[in-house]
Amino acid sequence: MNERYRGIAYDQLFLPRLTGPEIGELAKAGAMVILPIGAMEQHGPHLPVFTDTLIGEGILTEAFKHLTREDHIWLLPHLPYGKSNEHTGWHGTVTLSASTLLAVLMDIADSLAKTGFQRLVLFNTHGGNIDALNLAARDIREKTGMYVFRLDGGGLGDEKDLLTQEERMYGIHAGDSETSMIMVLHRDWVHENKLPNEFPPITSDWKLQFSNKRFAWLMKDLSSSGACGNAQLATEEKGKAILASAGRNAAELFKMMAIFSFNEKNGPIGFLPRER
Ligand SMILES: [Zn+2]
């Protein structure tokens, strides 16, 4: 038996498990579809290259524990490749160009819109996808008229008391947080004898950061191990707490997105009535 598609998300709310006619009968005007976008890229000497996609699946599996069919929120299959050119040249990285990613997202959204879906979430767990997804979201809104939402898995969990300040500022790749989550999701895929501890040589008094005063970087500019963060601090307990809180927070946001609307009479932006 294929164990991959188990759990509430896949047993009840995975759109491709339905037949075409069943999807035809869905009340699409009130429905929302979540498209998860991940990556396949190097994640240091200790984590699988599928890490970002696995984390996306893990957060969504947790999120869907808080949703029912009455929420009319449906899950699409993961797009397991993203824009990962900051890791080009490292073994295991497979990247889409920004223009290819934008085109694929537009085609998926257009297919959904043409069969009546009006509400789409681009849910992402790879930092390198963020800029392209924000562009895609507005383009899809303009071209299809759909409501389009963006949600990123990074920082979605309640990590403040679990990660060091240094980790939260500079642990951007394959560090404590991601390693902890993969320990929960696929412990046997983590090489615990090779956990790196490497931070980029940026000091907090240097004004150019991973923020609004930024510099373009490639992973080889920041790290020799391919990781930024201290994976040696990772624990399964931490990973469970991050995944559970990220899932809970995602579910709460999905429920808000599912009833969000712009007021067509130019009134305040608000929420649709509950009954749909
Ligand atoms: Zn990652």
Side-chain angles (χ1 to χ4, degrees), residues 39 41-43 47 51-52 55 87 125-127 172-174 178:
E41 62 181 32
Q42 75 80 23
H43 265 75
L47 292 180
T51 288
D52 289 347
I55 288 172
H87 302 284
T125 46
H126 166 49
I172 57 165
H173 189 71
E178 290 193 326

Side-chain angles (χ1 to χ4, degrees), residues 1-2 18 70 94-95 103 108 122 145 148 157 174 189-190 196 225 227 253 275-276:
M1 181 156 68
N2 181 354
L18 303 182
E70 277 64 58
V94 175
T95 184
I108 293 171
L122 304 177
V148 189
W189 291 10
V190 179
S225 65
L253 290 163
E275 63 283 355
R276 283 176 295 146

